[in-house]
Amino acid sequence: MKDKKLSLLDILQIFCTETIETDISSNKYQVIFIFDGLDESRLDLNFQNFVRLSNVMESASVDVLLINLIAGNLLPSALIWITSRPAAADLIPSKFVSRVTEVRGFNDPQKEEYFRKRVSDQSLANRIISHLRSSRSLYIMCHIPVFCWISATVLEKMLSKAESGEIPKTLTQMYTHFLIIQTNIKHEKDYEKKIKDKDMILKLGKLAFQQLVKGNVIFYEEDLRECGIDETEASVYSGLCTQFFRQEFGLYQSRMYCFVHLSIQEHLAAVYVHISCANNKKNAFEQSTQKSLFSKFFNLRISLSKQLSLSGLHQKAVDKTLHAKNGNLDLFLRFLLGLSLESNQTLLHGLMVQNGNTPSNEKTVKYIKQKIRMNPFSEKFMNLFHCLNELGDHSLMQEIQDYLQSGTISKVKLSSSQWSALVFVLLTSEEEINVFKLNEFVGGCNKADEVLLNLLPVVKTSRSAM
């Protein structure tokens, strides 16, 4: 309805016919509006510059009506409840928000409870839990129920006696194994034989990337067609789509599509971008005379004859992620960097052009560490440490772990990147910090005020601090 002009009353009467004979603008009724998943909306909510409306009979575009409703100009006595992903929570200016509730997902006991209920073999369930606990980056992610489902699907297969191979220890490995498992699920449908897995993955990846850049998690048939996807294929094509992609029916729009979870969209987007660069496929870029979606995203002008190096792609992706609003590209970056490891490329061998060269990530690691030094007190550095973990570089974290274990942390003059590493290690520690004790880190060259400033993110998450 984004291109139509309607009054608030018109919209209500379309969706809620009960309101036709009800004067909701009177004080007789208490009204509550629930906007579930506002971050999935394609409306441009410009709260800085909008036409003010106060009459429910006055017509305007849907975005203007929504802004005025949230701002309290229309139906000022109405209550409004909005759900949104954390990364997009500040779509609404804080002056219009009276209360914020964060849904944290599973706590640690609930994580384990999920796997014990999901996996019937309790011995296998214990091994899955033990493996996830051995990798902090994976165990932390288990607060997301969908990630528990993905992990259970992968590890139940990988840890069984019949399977062999490297057990996933990083986020990228887990999602890439899940992609392979779902690709191998086949149904006996004639039309499924008409399209190869490789082609379907690249089509879905292109859709995932294009919509991720636009900030969309809900797509329509025209979006699918733009990427060469037939909606029949998308809704029923093997496990790849039935597990990754779902079809929804809206009140007004006849059909909508979305990935099962944003993280799956981010992984497929990263697969598409990585393969486009690694294979140097022409269909990854528009004509050299135009600025393609890909080049707009990374602020590049790329001719079809010029090959972009993987390290160059990584550096541009790091820059773009650091400048992105709300950290909405953080997970995409972790996947993109992780896909450059040989172990993950081996899993994707069916999609890759085999040239015999294994790319070095030395330049990428060096670039990320440089960015950490430049942004020592930014919350964005946390994701950069996760990126180093995906790349298999633990050098900064190991230095800090050694200092902590030897009890010499207070005697060492730490660099800005080491302070950042210390924050990361403490925040991702298996043990919850009940009491933060400043004196444990003060001494030698480390003054109390400097330590407090550097470790403020840790203080904020501690239950109490001395």
Side-chain angles (χ1 to χ4, degrees), residues 164-248:
S164 60
E166 185 179 354
I167 309 300
K169 294 180 181 177
T170 67
L171 202 62
T172 310
Q173 287 175 335
M174 189 70 79
Y175 275 76
T176 305
H177 272 286
F178 183 70
L179 174 63
I180 301 305
I181 289 171
Q182 298 305 332
T183 303
N184 291 332
I185 296 175
K186 301 294 182 186
H187 294 289
E188 296 179 1
K189 302 283 186 181
D190 291 337
Y191 54 77
E192 289 172 9
K193 299 171 185 175
K194 297 176 184 177
I195 182 167
K196 295 179 180 178
D197 292 332
K198 173 182 175 180
D199 296 333
M200 195 62 190
I201 290 172
L202 289 177
K203 286 179 180 180
L204 285 174
K206 183 179 180 180
L207 173 71
F209 177 65
Q210 287 188 352
Q211 300 304 320
L212 184 68
V213 173
K214 295 176 182 177
N216 295 335
V217 294
I218 296 287
F219 336 118
Y220 301 107
E221 291 180 30
E222 59 266 28
D223 300 318
L224 271 61
R225 285 195 295 270
E226 190 180 328
C227 296
I229 301 172
D230 178 85
E231 53 264 30
T232 306
E233 295 171 348
S235 57
V236 292
Y237 172 80
S238 78
L240 186 63
C241 286
T242 55
Q243 296 293 333
F244 282 3
F245 212 66
R246 70 170 184 248
Q247 179 177 296
E248 295 184 346

Coordinates of all heavy atoms in Angstrom, one line a residue, residues 164-248:
S164 N 32.7 -38.5 9.2 CA 34.1 -38.1 9.5 C 34.3 -36.7 8.9 O 33.5 -36.2 8.2 CB 35.1 -39.1 8.8 OG 34.9 -39.1 7.4
G165 N 35.4 -36.1 9.3 CA 35.7 -34.8 8.9 C 35.9 -33.8 10.0 O 35.6 -34.1 11.2
E166 N 36.3 -32.6 9.7 CA 36.5 -31.6 10.7 C 35.2 -31.1 11.3 O 34.3 -30.7 10.6 CB 37.3 -30.4 10.1 CG 37.7 -29.3 11.2 CD 38.4 -28.2 10.6 OE1 38.8 -28.3 9.4 OE2 38.7 -27.2 11.3
I167 N 35.1 -31.2 12.7 CA 33.9 -30.7 13.3 C 33.9 -29.2 13.3 O 34.9 -28.6 13.7 CB 33.8 -31.3 14.8 CG1 34.0 -32.8 14.8 CG2 32.4 -30.9 15.4 CD1 33.0 -33.6 14.0
P168 N 32.8 -28.5 13.0 CA 32.7 -27.1 12.9 C 33.0 -26.4 14.2 O 32.5 -26.8 15.3 CB 31.3 -26.8 12.5 CG 30.8 -28.0 11.8 CD 31.5 -29.1 12.5
K169 N 34.0 -25.5 14.2 CA 34.4 -24.7 15.4 C 34.1 -23.2 15.3 O 34.3 -22.5 16.2 CB 35.9 -24.9 15.7 CG 36.2 -26.4 16.0 CD 37.7 -26.5 16.3 CE 38.0 -28.0 16.7 NZ 39.5 -28.2 16.9
T170 N 33.7 -22.8 14.1 CA 33.4 -21.4 13.9 C 32.0 -21.2 13.3 O 31.5 -22.2 12.8 CB 34.4 -20.7 12.9 OG1 34.3 -21.3 11.6 CG2 35.9 -20.9 13.3
L171 N 31.6 -20.0 13.3 CA 30.2 -19.7 12.8 C 30.1 -20.1 11.3 O 29.2 -20.7 10.9 CB 29.9 -18.2 13.0 CG 28.5 -17.8 13.1 CD1 27.8 -18.5 14.2 CD2 28.4 -16.3 13.2
T172 N 31.1 -19.7 10.5 CA 31.1 -19.9 9.1 C 31.1 -21.4 8.8 O 30.4 -21.8 7.9 CB 32.3 -19.2 8.4 OG1 32.4 -17.9 8.8 CG2 32.2 -19.3 6.9
Q173 N 31.9 -22.2 9.5 CA 31.9 -23.6 9.3 C 30.6 -24.2 9.6 O 30.1 -25.1 8.8 CB 33.0 -24.2 10.2 CG 34.4 -24.0 9.7 CD 35.4 -24.5 10.7 OE1 35.1 -24.7 11.9 NE2 36.6 -24.8 10.3
M174 N 29.9 -23.8 10.6 CA 28.6 -24.3 11.0 C 27.6 -24.1 9.9 O 26.8 -25.0 9.5 CB 28.2 -23.7 12.3 CG 26.9 -24.4 12.9 SD 27.3 -26.1 13.5 CE 28.1 -25.7 15.1
Y175 N 27.5 -22.8 9.5 CA 26.5 -22.4 8.5 C 26.8 -23.1 7.1 O 25.9 -23.4 6.4 CB 26.4 -20.9 8.4 CG 25.4 -20.3 9.4 CD1 25.8 -20.2 10.7 CD2 24.1 -19.9 9.0 CE1 25.0 -19.6 11.7 CE2 23.3 -19.4 10.0 CZ 23.7 -19.2 11.3 OH 22.8 -18.7 12.2
T176 N 28.1 -23.2 6.8 CA 28.4 -23.8 5.5 C 28.1 -25.3 5.5 O 27.6 -25.8 4.5 CB 29.9 -23.6 5.2 OG1 30.2 -22.1 5.3 CG2 30.3 -24.0 3.8
H177 N 28.4 -26.0 6.6 CA 28.0 -27.4 6.7 C 26.4 -27.5 6.6 O 25.9 -28.4 6.0 CB 28.4 -28.0 8.0 CG 29.8 -28.5 8.0 ND1 30.1 -29.7 7.4 CD2 31.0 -28.1 8.5 CE1 31.4 -30.0 7.5 NE2 31.9 -29.0 8.2
F178 N 25.7 -26.6 7.2 CA 24.3 -26.6 7.2 C 23.8 -26.4 5.7 O 22.9 -27.1 5.3 CB 23.7 -25.5 8.0 CG 22.2 -25.5 8.1 CD1 21.5 -26.5 8.8 CD2 21.5 -24.4 7.5 CE1 20.1 -26.4 8.8 CE2 20.1 -24.4 7.6 CZ 19.4 -25.4 8.2
L179 N 24.4 -25.5 5.0 CA 24.1 -25.3 3.6 C 24.3 -26.6 2.8 O 23.4 -27.0 2.0 CB 25.0 -24.2 3.0 CG 24.9 -23.9 1.5 CD1 23.5 -23.5 1.1 CD2 25.9 -22.9 1.1
I180 N 25.4 -27.3 3.0 CA 25.7 -28.5 2.3 C 24.7 -29.6 2.6 O 24.2 -30.3 1.8 CB 27.1 -29.0 2.6 CG1 28.2 -28.0 2.2 CG2 27.4 -30.3 1.9 CD1 28.1 -27.5 0.8
I181 N 24.3 -29.7 3.9 CA 23.4 -30.7 4.4 C 22.0 -30.5 3.7 O 21.4 -31.4 3.2 CB 23.2 -30.7 5.9 CG1 24.5 -31.3 6.6 CG2 22.0 -31.5 6.3 CD1 24.5 -31.1 8.1
Q182 N 21.6 -29.2 3.7 CA 20.3 -28.9 3.1 C 20.3 -29.1 1.6 O 19.3 -29.5 1.0 CB 19.8 -27.5 3.4 CG 19.6 -27.3 4.9 CD 18.7 -28.3 5.5 OE1 17.8 -28.8 4.9 NE2 18.8 -28.5 6.8
T183 N 21.5 -28.9 0.9 CA 21.6 -29.0 -0.5 C 21.4 -30.5 -0.9 O 20.9 -30.8 -2.0 CB 22.9 -28.5 -1.0 OG1 23.1 -27.2 -0.6 CG2 23.1 -28.6 -2.5
N184 N 21.8 -31.4 0.0 CA 21.7 -32.8 -0.3 C 20.4 -33.4 0.0 O 20.1 -34.6 -0.3 CB 22.8 -33.6 0.6 CG 24.2 -33.2 0.2 OD1 24.4 -32.9 -1.0 ND2 25.1 -33.3 1.1
I185 N 19.4 -32.6 0.5 CA 18.1 -33.1 0.7 C 17.3 -33.0 -0.6 O 17.2 -32.0 -1.2 CB 17.3 -32.3 1.8 CG1 18.0 -32.5 3.2 CG2 15.9 -32.7 1.9 CD1 17.4 -31.6 4.2
K186 N 16.8 -34.1 -1.1 CA 16.1 -34.1 -2.4 C 14.7 -34.6 -2.2 O 14.4 -35.4 -1.3 CB 16.8 -35.1 -3.3 CG 18.3 -34.7 -3.6 CD 18.4 -33.4 -4.4 CE 19.8 -33.1 -4.7 NZ 20.0 -31.7 -5.3
H187 N 13.8 -34.1 -3.0 CA 12.5 -34.6 -3.1 C 12.2 -35.1 -4.5 O 12.8 -34.6 -5.4 CB 11.5 -33.4 -2.7 CG 11.6 -33.0 -1.3 ND1 11.2 -33.7 -0.2 CD2 12.1 -31.8 -0.8 CE1 11.4 -33.0 0.9 NE2 11.9 -31.9 0.5
E188 N 11.3 -36.0 -4.6 CA 11.0 -36.6 -5.9 C 10.0 -35.7 -6.7 O 8.8 -36.0 -6.8 CB 10.5 -38.0 -5.8 CG 11.5 -38.9 -5.2 CD 10.9 -40.3 -5.0 OE1 9.8 -40.5 -5.3 OE2 11.7 -41.2 -4.5
K189 N 10.5 -34.6 -7.2 CA 9.7 -33.6 -7.9 C 10.4 -33.4 -9.3 O 11.6 -33.2 -9.4 CB 9.6 -32.3 -7.2 CG 9.0 -32.4 -5.8 CD 7.5 -32.5 -5.9 CE 6.9 -32.5 -4.5 NZ 5.4 -32.7 -4.5
D190 N 9.6 -33.5 -10.4 CA 10.2 -33.4 -11.7 C 10.9 -32.1 -11.9 O 12.0 -32.0 -12.5 CB 9.1 -33.6 -12.8 CG 8.6 -35.0 -12.8 OD1 9.3 -35.9 -12.3 OD2 7.4 -35.2 -13.2
Y191 N 10.2 -31.0 -11.5 CA 10.8 -29.7 -11.8 C 12.1 -29.4 -11.1 O 12.9 -28.6 -11.5 CB 9.8 -28.6 -11.4 CG 9.3 -28.6 -10.0 CD1 10.1 -28.1 -9.0 CD2 8.1 -29.0 -9.7 CE1 9.7 -28.2 -7.7 CE2 7.6 -29.1 -8.4 CZ 8.4 -28.7 -7.4 OH 8.0 -28.7 -6.1
E192 N 12.4 -30.2 -10.0 CA 13.6 -30.0 -9.3 C 14.9 -30.4 -10.1 O 16.0 -29.9 -9.8 CB 13.6 -30.7 -7.9 CG 12.7 -30.1 -6.9 CD 12.5 -31.0 -5.7 OE1 13.3 -32.0 -5.6 OE2 11.6 -30.7 -4.9
K193 N 14.7 -31.3 -11.0 CA 15.8 -31.7 -11.8 C 16.2 -30.7 -12.9 O 17.2 -30.9 -13.6 CB 15.4 -33.1 -12.5 CG 15.1 -34.2 -11.5 CD 14.5 -35.4 -12.1 CE 14.0 -36.4 -11.1 NZ 13.4 -37.6 -11.7
K194 N 15.4 -29.7 -13.1 CA 15.7 -28.7 -14.1 C 16.7 -27.7 -13.7 O 17.2 -26.9 -14.5 CB 14.4 -28.1 -14.6 CG 13.4 -29.0 -15.1 CD 12.1 -28.3 -15.5 CE 11.0 -29.2 -16.0 NZ 9.7 -28.5 -16.2
I195 N 17.0 -27.6 -12.4 CA 18.0 -26.6 -12.0 C 19.0 -27.2 -11.0 O 18.7 -28.1 -10.2 CB 17.2 -25.4 -11.2 CG1 18.2 -24.4 -10.8 CG2 16.4 -26.0 -10.0 CD1 17.5 -23.1 -10.4
K196 N 20.3 -26.9 -11.2 CA 21.3 -27.4 -10.4 C 21.4 -26.7 -9.1 O 21.1 -25.6 -8.9 CB 22.7 -27.3 -11.2 CG 22.7 -28.0 -12.5 CD 24.1 -27.8 -13.2 CE 24.2 -28.6 -14.5 NZ 25.4 -28.4 -15.2
D197 N 21.9 -27.5 -8.1 CA 22.1 -26.9 -6.8 C 23.0 -25.6 -6.8 O 22.6 -24.6 -6.2 CB 22.8 -27.9 -5.8 CG 21.9 -29.1 -5.5 OD1 20.7 -28.9 -5.6 OD2 22.4 -30.2 -5.2
K198 N 24.0 -25.7 -7.6 CA 25.0 -24.5 -7.7 C 24.2 -23.3 -8.2 O 24.4 -22.2 -7.6 CB 26.1 -24.9 -8.7 CG 27.0 -23.7 -9.0 CD 28.1 -24.1 -10.0 CE 28.9 -22.9 -10.4 NZ 30.0 -23.3 -11.4
D199 N 23.4 -23.5 -9.2 CA 22.7 -22.3 -9.8 C 21.7 -21.7 -8.8 O 21.5 -20.5 -8.6 CB 21.9 -22.7 -11.0 CG 22.9 -23.1 -12.2 OD1 24.1 -22.6 -12.1 OD2 22.5 -23.9 -13.0
M200 N 21.0 -22.7 -8.0 CA 20.0 -22.2 -7.1 C 20.6 -21.5 -5.9 O 20.1 -20.4 -5.4 CB 19.2 -23.4 -6.6 CG 17.9 -23.0 -5.9 SD 16.8 -22.1 -7.0 CE 15.6 -21.5 -5.9
I201 N 21.8 -22.0 -5.4 CA 22.5 -21.3 -4.3 C 22.9 -19.9 -4.7 O 22.8 -19.0 -4.0 CB 23.7 -22.2 -3.9 CG1 23.2 -23.4 -3.2 CG2 24.6 -21.4 -3.0 CD1 24.4 -24.4 -2.9
L202 N 23.5 -19.8 -5.9 CA 23.9 -18.5 -6.4 C 22.7 -17.5 -6.6 O 22.8 -16.3 -6.3 CB 24.7 -18.6 -7.7 CG 26.1 -19.3 -7.6 CD1 26.8 -19.4 -8.9 CD2 27.0 -18.4 -6.6
K203 N 21.6 -18.0 -7.1 CA 20.4 -17.2 -7.2 C 19.9 -16.7 -5.9 O 19.6 -15.5 -5.7 CB 19.3 -17.9 -8.0 CG 19.5 -18.1 -9.5 CD 18.4 -18.9 -10.1 CE 18.6 -19.1 -11.6 NZ 17.4 -19.8 -12.2
L204 N 19.8 -17.6 -4.9 CA 19.4 -17.3 -3.6 C 20.4 -16.3 -2.9 O 20.0 -15.4 -2.2 CB 19.2 -18.5 -2.7 CG 18.0 -19.4 -3.0 CD1 18.1 -20.7 -2.1 CD2 16.7 -18.6 -2.7
G205 N 21.7 -16.6 -3.2 CA 22.7 -15.7 -2.6 C 22.6 -14.3 -3.2 O 22.8 -13.3 -2.5
K206 N 22.4 -14.2 -4.5 CA 22.2 -12.9 -5.1 C 21.0 -12.1 -4.5 O 21.1 -10.9 -4.2 CB 22.0 -13.0 -6.6 CG 21.9 -11.7 -7.4 CD 21.7 -12.0 -8.9 CE 21.6 -10.6 -9.6 NZ 21.5 -10.8 -11.1
L207 N 19.9 -12.8 -4.3 CA 18.7 -12.2 -3.7 C 19.1 -11.8 -2.3 O 18.7 -10.7 -1.9 CB 17.6 -13.3 -3.7 CG 16.3 -12.8 -2.9 CD1 15.6 -11.7 -3.7 CD2 15.4 -14.0 -2.7
A208 N 19.7 -12.7 -1.5 CA 20.1 -12.4 -0.1 C 20.9 -11.2 0.0 O 20.7 -10.3 0.8 CB 20.8 -13.6 0.5
F209 N 21.9 -11.1 -0.9 CA 22.9 -9.9 -0.9 C 22.2 -8.6 -1.3 O 22.3 -7.6 -0.6 CB 24.1 -10.2 -1.8 CG 25.0 -9.1 -1.9 CD1 25.7 -8.7 -0.8 CD2 25.2 -8.4 -3.1 CE1 26.6 -7.6 -0.8 CE2 26.1 -7.3 -3.1 CZ 26.8 -6.9 -2.0
Q210 N 21.5 -8.7 -2.4 CA 20.8 -7.4 -2.9 C 19.8 -6.9 -1.8 O 19.8 -5.7 -1.6 CB 20.0 -7.7 -4.2 CG 20.9 -7.9 -5.4 CD 20.1 -8.0 -6.7 OE1 18.9 -8.1 -6.7 NE2 20.8 -8.0 -7.8
Q211 N 19.1 -7.8 -1.2 CA 18.1 -7.3 -0.2 C 18.8 -6.9 1.1 O 18.3 -6.1 1.8 CB 17.0 -8.4 0.0 CG 16.3 -8.8 -1.2 CD 15.6 -7.6 -1.9 OE1 15.1 -6.7 -1.2 NE2 15.6 -7.5 -3.2
L212 N 19.9 -7.6 1.5 CA 20.6 -7.2 2.7 C 21.2 -5.8 2.6 O 21.1 -5.0 3.5 CB 21.8 -8.2 2.9 CG 22.6 -8.0 4.2 CD1 21.7 -8.3 5.4 CD2 23.8 -8.8 4.2
V213 N 21.7 -5.5 1.4 CA 22.2 -4.1 1.1 C 21.1 -3.1 1.3 O 21.3 -2.0 1.8 CB 22.8 -4.0 -0.3 CG1 23.2 -2.6 -0.6 CG2 24.1 -4.9 -0.4
K214 N 19.9 -3.4 0.8 CA 18.8 -2.5 0.9 C 18.1 -2.5 2.3 O 17.2 -1.7 2.5 CB 17.7 -2.9 -0.2 CG 18.2 -2.8 -1.6 CD 17.1 -3.3 -2.6 CE 17.5 -3.2 -4.0 NZ 16.5 -3.8 -4.9
G215 N 18.5 -3.4 3.1 CA 17.9 -3.5 4.4 C 16.6 -4.2 4.5 O 15.8 -4.0 5.4
N216 N 16.4 -5.1 3.5 CA 15.1 -5.8 3.4 C 15.2 -7.2 3.9 O 16.2 -7.9 3.5 CB 14.6 -5.8 1.9 CG 14.2 -4.4 1.4 OD1 13.9 -3.5 2.2 ND2 14.3 -4.2 0.1
V217 N 14.3 -7.7 4.6 CA 14.2 -9.1 5.0 C 12.9 -9.7 4.5 O 12.7 -10.9 4.6 CB 14.4 -9.3 6.5 CG1 15.7 -8.9 7.0 CG2 13.3 -8.6 7.3
I218 N 12.0 -8.9 3.9 CA 10.8 -9.4 3.3 C 10.9 -9.1 1.8 O 11.2 -7.9 1.5 CB 9.6 -8.7 3.9 CG1 9.4 -9.1 5.4 CG2 8.3 -9.1 3.1 CD1 9.0 -10.6 5.6
F219 N 10.6 -10.0 0.9 CA 10.7 -9.8 -0.5 C 9.4 -10.2 -1.2 O 8.6 -10.9 -0.6 CB 11.9 -10.6 -1.1 CG 12.9 -11.0 -0.2 CD1 13.2 -12.4 0.1 CD2 13.7 -10.1 0.5 CE1 14.2 -12.8 1.0 CE2 14.7 -10.5 1.4 CZ 14.9 -11.8 1.6
Y220 N 9.3 -9.7 -2.4 CA 8.1 -9.9 -3.2 C 8.5 -10.6 -4.5 O 9.7 -10.8 -4.8 CB 7.3 -8.6 -3.5 CG 6.9 -8.0 -2.2 CD1 7.6 -6.8 -1.7 CD2 5.9 -8.5 -1.4 CE1 7.2 -6.2 -0.6 CE2 5.6 -7.9 -0.2 CZ 6.2 -6.7 0.2 OH 5.9 -6.1 1.4
E221 N 7.5 -11.0 -5.3 CA 7.8 -11.8 -6.5 C 8.7 -11.1 -7.4 O 9.5 -11.7 -8.1 CB 6.4 -12.2 -7.1 CG 5.6 -13.2 -6.3 CD 4.3 -13.6 -7.0 OE1 4.3 -13.6 -8.3 OE2 3.3 -13.9 -6.3
E222 N 8.6 -9.8 -7.5 CA 9.4 -9.1 -8.5 C 10.9 -9.1 -8.0 O 11.8 -9.1 -8.9 CB 9.0 -7.6 -8.6 CG 9.0 -6.8 -7.3 CD 7.6 -6.8 -6.6 OE1 6.8 -7.7 -6.8 OE2 7.3 -5.8 -6.0
D223 N 11.1 -9.2 -6.7 CA 12.5 -9.3 -6.2 C 13.1 -10.7 -6.6 O 14.3 -10.8 -7.0 CB 12.6 -9.2 -4.7 CG 12.0 -7.8 -4.2 OD1 12.4 -6.8 -4.9 OD2 11.3 -7.8 -3.2
L224 N 12.3 -11.7 -6.5 CA 12.7 -13.1 -6.9 C 13.0 -13.1 -8.4 O 14.1 -13.6 -8.8 CB 11.6 -14.1 -6.6 CG 11.7 -14.7 -5.2 CD1 11.6 -13.7 -4.1 CD2 10.6 -15.8 -5.0
R225 N 12.1 -12.5 -9.2 CA 12.3 -12.6 -10.7 C 13.5 -11.8 -11.1 O 14.2 -12.2 -12.0 CB 11.1 -12.0 -11.3 CG 9.8 -12.9 -11.3 CD 8.8 -12.4 -12.3 NE 8.2 -11.1 -12.0 CZ 7.2 -11.0 -11.2 NH1 6.5 -12.0 -10.7 NH2 6.7 -9.8 -10.9
E226 N 13.9 -10.8 -10.4 CA 15.1 -10.0 -10.7 C 16.3 -10.8 -10.6 O 17.3 -10.6 -11.2 CB 15.1 -8.8 -9.8 CG 16.2 -7.7 -10.1 CD 16.2 -6.6 -9.1 OE1 15.1 -6.2 -8.6 OE2 17.3 -6.0 -8.9
C227 N 16.3 -11.8 -9.7 CA 17.4 -12.7 -9.5 C 17.3 -14.0 -10.2 O 18.1 -15.0 -10.0 CB 17.6 -13.0 -8.0 SG 18.0 -11.5 -7.0
G228 N 16.3 -14.1 -11.1 CA 16.1 -15.3 -11.9 C 15.5 -16.5 -11.2 O 15.7 -17.6 -11.5
I229 N 14.8 -16.2 -10.1 CA 14.2 -17.2 -9.3 C 12.7 -17.3 -9.6 O 12.0 -16.3 -9.5 CB 14.4 -17.0 -7.7 CG1 15.9 -16.9 -7.4 CG2 13.7 -18.1 -6.9 CD1 16.1 -16.4 -6.0
D230 N 12.3 -18.5 -9.9 CA 10.9 -18.8 -10.1 C 10.2 -19.0 -8.7 O 10.8 -19.8 -7.9 CB 10.7 -20.0 -11.0 CG 9.2 -20.3 -11.2 OD1 8.5 -19.7 -12.1 OD2 8.7 -21.2 -10.4
E231 N 9.1 -18.4 -8.4 CA 8.5 -18.5 -7.1 C 8.2 -19.9 -6.7 O 8.2 -20.3 -5.5 CB 7.3 -17.6 -6.9 CG 6.3 -17.7 -7.9 CD 6.4 -16.7 -9.0 OE1 7.5 -16.2 -9.3 OE2 5.4 -16.3 -9.6
T232 N 7.9 -20.7 -7.7 CA 7.6 -22.1 -7.4 C 8.8 -22.9 -6.9 O 8.8 -23.6 -6.0 CB 7.1 -22.8 -8.7 OG1 6.0 -22.1 -9.2 CG2 6.6 -24.3 -8.4
E233 N 9.9 -22.6 -7.6 CA 11.2 -23.1 -7.2 C 11.5 -22.7 -5.7 O 11.9 -23.5 -4.9 CB 12.4 -22.7 -8.1 CG 12.3 -23.2 -9.5 CD 13.3 -22.5 -10.4 OE1 13.9 -21.5 -10.0 OE2 13.5 -23.0 -11.5
A234 N 11.3 -21.4 -5.5 CA 11.7 -20.9 -4.2 C 10.9 -21.5 -3.0 O 11.5 -21.6 -1.9 CB 11.5 -19.4 -4.2
S235 N 9.7 -21.8 -3.3 CA 8.8 -22.2 -2.1 C 8.9 -23.7 -1.9 O 8.6 -24.2 -0.8 CB 7.4 -21.8 -2.4 OG 6.9 -22.3 -3.6
V236 N 9.3 -24.5 -3.0 CA 9.3 -25.9 -2.8 C 10.6 -26.6 -3.2 O 10.7 -27.9 -3.1 CB 8.1 -26.6 -3.6 CG1 6.8 -26.2 -3.0 CG2 8.2 -26.2 -5.0
Y237 N 11.6 -25.9 -3.7 CA 12.8 -26.6 -4.2 C 13.6 -27.2 -3.1 O 14.2 -26.5 -2.3 CB 13.6 -25.6 -5.0 CG 15.0 -26.2 -5.3 CD1 15.1 -27.0 -6.5 CD2 16.1 -25.9 -4.6 CE1 16.3 -27.5 -6.8 CE2 17.3 -26.5 -4.9 CZ 17.5 -27.3 -6.0 OH 18.7 -27.8 -6.3
S238 N 13.6 -28.5 -3.0 CA 14.4 -29.3 -2.1 C 14.5 -28.7 -0.7 O 13.8 -27.8 -0.3 CB 15.8 -29.6 -2.7 OG 16.7 -28.5 -2.5
G239 N 15.5 -29.2 0.1 CA 15.7 -28.7 1.5 C 16.3 -27.4 1.4 O 16.2 -26.6 2.4
L240 N 17.0 -27.0 0.4 CA 17.7 -25.8 0.3 C 16.7 -24.6 0.5 O 17.0 -23.6 1.1 CB 18.4 -25.7 -1.1 CG 19.3 -24.4 -1.3 CD1 20.4 -24.5 -0.3 CD2 19.8 -24.4 -2.7
C241 N 15.6 -24.7 -0.1 CA 14.6 -23.6 0.0 C 13.6 -23.8 1.1 O 13.2 -22.9 1.8 CB 13.8 -23.5 -1.3 SG 14.9 -22.7 -2.6
T242 N 13.2 -25.1 1.3 CA 12.1 -25.3 2.3 C 12.7 -25.1 3.7 O 12.0 -24.7 4.6 CB 11.6 -26.7 2.2 OG1 12.7 -27.7 2.3 CG2 10.8 -26.9 0.9
Q243 N 14.0 -25.2 3.9 CA 14.7 -25.0 5.1 C 15.2 -23.5 5.2 O 15.4 -23.0 6.3 CB 15.8 -26.0 5.4 CG 15.4 -27.4 5.5 CD 14.5 -27.7 6.7 OE1 14.7 -27.0 7.7 NE2 13.7 -28.7 6.6
F244 N 15.5 -22.9 4.1 CA 16.1 -21.6 4.1 C 15.0 -20.5 3.8 O 15.2 -19.4 4.2 CB 17.1 -21.5 3.0 CG 18.4 -22.1 3.4 CD1 18.6 -22.8 4.6 CD2 19.5 -22.1 2.6 CE1 19.7 -23.4 5.0 CE2 20.7 -22.7 2.9 CZ 20.8 -23.4 4.1
F245 N 14.0 -20.8 3.1 CA 13.1 -19.9 2.5 C 11.7 -20.2 2.8 O 11.3 -21.4 2.8 CB 13.3 -19.9 0.9 CG 13.2 -18.6 0.3 CD1 14.1 -17.6 0.5 CD2 12.1 -18.4 -0.6 CE1 13.9 -16.3 -0.2 CE2 12.0 -17.2 -1.3 CZ 12.9 -16.2 -1.1
R246 N 10.9 -19.2 3.1 CA 9.5 -19.5 3.3 C 8.6 -18.5 2.7 O 9.0 -17.3 2.4 CB 9.2 -19.6 4.8 CG 9.3 -18.3 5.6 CD 8.7 -18.5 7.0 NE 8.7 -17.2 7.7 CZ 9.4 -16.9 8.7 NH1 10.3 -17.8 9.2 NH2 9.4 -15.8 9.4
Q247 N 7.4 -18.9 2.4 CA 6.4 -18.1 1.7 C 5.4 -17.7 2.8 O 4.9 -18.5 3.6 CB 5.7 -18.8 0.6 CG 4.7 -18.1 -0.2 CD 4.1 -18.9 -1.3 OE1 4.8 -19.2 -2.3 NE2 2.9 -19.2 -1.3
E248 N 5.0 -16.4 2.8 CA 4.0 -15.9 3.7 C 2.9 -15.2 2.9 O 3.1 -14.7 1.8 CB 4.6 -14.9 4.7 CG 5.7 -15.5 5.6 CD 6.2 -14.5 6.6 OE1 5.9 -13.3 6.5 OE2 6.8 -15.0 7.6

